[in-house]
Amino acid sequence: MSVDVLKKYQKINIDNSRIGIALGSGSARGWAHIGVLQALAEIGIEPDIVAGSSIGALVGAAYASNQLDEMGEIVKTLSWKDIVSYLDMSIMAGGLIQGEKLANFFRNHMKEMDIESLPRRFAAVATELSSGREIWLQNGSLLDAVRASVALPGLFTPFKYNNQWLVDGGIVDPVPVSLCRAMGAEIVIAVSLNGDIIGKHGRNNNQLVKQEEIKENETELWGRISDQLEKTLREKKNALLSRLFGDSLTSPGLIEVLAGSIHIMQDRITRSRMAGDPPDIILSPRLSYLGLMEFDRGVIAIEEGRACVNRMRSEFEHLI
């Protein structure tokens, strides 16, 4: 749904201080949150209460700190080579990716703030590794809260925060509706990213980049991995590549299997939690064809986020 079409609609009059938005986990599909928030703003809905889990915490942090449009522009320009450059591979630190380069990327493109000083109320969800407790991060460093919330087990290393080892918030609360309500929201909009992925492979052959480009990207990726792990992995490079990323365009690799399995689990948890504490409106971008690690396809995800808001326009008018 384009900006021009959305602007044809009359804005909805609403007290945004009553509105909360719960931004769910979903890896690369999370860029859809950008389109959702931008489209909502264009029809007059700008939630003052923001709760995010995993990628939802990242986009929610940008929104709560008035940096969403800047993030959107950065996301639209990301290439696969950019994504590769942020992967600091490690198999000895509790995850395949240490995450320090990603953390530096956040710091370079987002202002460092304390959560308490944000113009909107914000909280991120994380999971305490030792106990499995759900942790609500509502104060302290905004970027530290985001780093903790995105630490997908097995993929990103855990993050130590206030003497606790924390991992991805989607493990316990993939779409944090209850956190929104606890922060004072009377109306909660939930954005769920995993509802249509069950039984569907994450890739769509019609929308894959050319095979030659994939081979080139894999070569570059393995150049980076070999530089860091050459002493122990040089002779096993090809075998490890096959295991991590799949040995063909149709065969899922370790990363996709791991992340995909976690997101299937999160979908089940989301359904269970929403049954007990349903949101007032659920937005479900249709992105089953988007691979979990295809962060370079942000334009597609953002546009689908916009289209999702348009499909639900009548629901917003009825509710609000």
Side-chain angles (χ1 to χ4, degrees):
M1 185 65 177
S2 68
V3 175
D4 291 338
V5 174
L6 278 170
K7 285 182 177 178
K8 292 179 181 178
Y9 292 110
Q10 183 178 358
K11 287 192 174 184
I12 297 172
N13 293 321
I14 185 171
D15 178 6
N16 283 300
S17 65
R18 300 171 53 227
I19 304 295
I21 190 162
L23 303 176
S25 59
S27 296
R29 300 183 186 109
W31 295 146
H33 291 316
I34 298 173
V36 166
L37 289 163
Q38 289 175 336
L40 287 175
E42 287 157 7
I43 61 173
I45 300 174
E46 300 183 70
D48 278 341
I49 298 170
V50 188
S53 188
S54 195
I55 187 70
L58 172 59
V59 178
Y63 174 71
S65 60
N66 290 332
Q67 301 178 79
L68 184 70
D69 290 340
E70 291 87 341
M71 171 175 280
E73 292 306 311
I74 293 167
V75 166
K76 290 177 182 178
T77 63
L78 284 177
S79 67
W80 175 246
K81 290 183 179 181
D82 294 326
I83 304 303
V84 169
S85 70
Y86 300 128
L87 303 183
D88 41 1
M89 304 296 288
S90 171
I91 60 172
M92 303 300 290
L96 291 172
I97 300 169
Q98 286 185 303
E100 289 307 310
K101 289 187 178 180
L102 280 175
N104 290 333
F105 171 77
F106 299 157
R107 292 188 180 96
N108 290 336
H109 292 93
M110 290 179 61
K111 297 176 184 176
E112 176 64 277
M113 298 181 179
D114 287 334
I115 295 174
E116 303 93 316
S117 67
L118 297 176
R120 294 182 176 89
R121 282 170 285 176
F122 170 80
V125 180
T127 305
E128 186 181 18
L129 187 59
S130 62
S131 67
R133 290 192 304 122
E134 180 176 342
I135 305 295
W136 292 352
L137 304 173
Q138 303 180 71
N139 50 59
S141 167
L142 177 66
L143 296 183
D144 282 352
V146 169
R147 173 62 180 86
S149 188
V150 302
L152 192 67
L155 187 58
F156 291 101
T157 57
F159 184 72
K160 195 168 188 178
Y161 187 92
N162 291 339
N163 295 318
Q164 299 171 306
W165 285 107
L166 303 182
V167 293
D168 197 293
I171 299 301
V172 289
D173 197 358
V175 185
V177 174
S178 58
L179 175 52
C180 267
R181 297 205 188 280
M183 294 167 69
E186 298 176 30
I187 298 173
V188 176
I189 302 166
V191 186
S192 178
L193 302 172
N194 299 314
D196 67 340
I197 66 171
I198 306 301
K200 298 181 181 180
H201 194 281
R203 296 175 182 171
N204 184 324
N205 288 334
N206 293 329
Q207 296 179 335
L208 285 171
V209 294
K210 294 180 180 179
Q211 186 168 354
E212 306 90 79
E213 184 178 343
I214 291 176
K215 289 180 178 179
E216 178 183 347
N217 291 334
E218 287 181 346
T219 299
E220 179 179 351
L221 173 60
W222 270 108
R224 297 185 61 82
I225 295 176
S226 295
D227 287 343
Q228 297 178 55
L229 304 176
E230 61 180 352
K231 290 184 179 180
T232 56
L233 298 179
R234 185 181 297 276
E235 295 180 357
K236 299 180 180 180
K237 182 174 69 174
N238 292 333
L240 186 56
L241 171 61
S242 176
R243 290 175 182 236
L244 286 178
F245 295 98
D247 55 13
S248 73
L249 294 180
T250 58
S251 175
L254 183 149
I255 287 179
E256 190 167 1
V257 170
L258 176 63
S261 299
I262 289 173
H263 284 102
I264 291 171
M265 175 195 70
Q266 290 174 345
D267 176 62
R268 300 307 188 195
I269 295 172
T270 299
R271 293 170 188 263
S272 176
R273 294 197 62 145
M274 283 189 180
D277 188 6
D280 297 281
I281 293 180
I282 301 176
L283 298 175
S284 299
R286 299 167 183 170
L287 291 168
S288 62
Y289 57 84
L290 194 64
L292 295 169
M293 298 300 291
E294 292 184 297
F295 290 98
D296 56 317
R297 302 179 72 192
V299 172
I300 294 172
I302 290 172
E303 286 304 309
E304 172 54 23
R306 287 181 169 277
C308 182
V309 171
N310 179 60
R311 291 193 296 268
M312 297 293 289
R313 168 76 190 201
S314 60
E315 294 295 323
F316 285 109
E317 292 175 335
H318 175 73
L319 176 68
I320 298 173

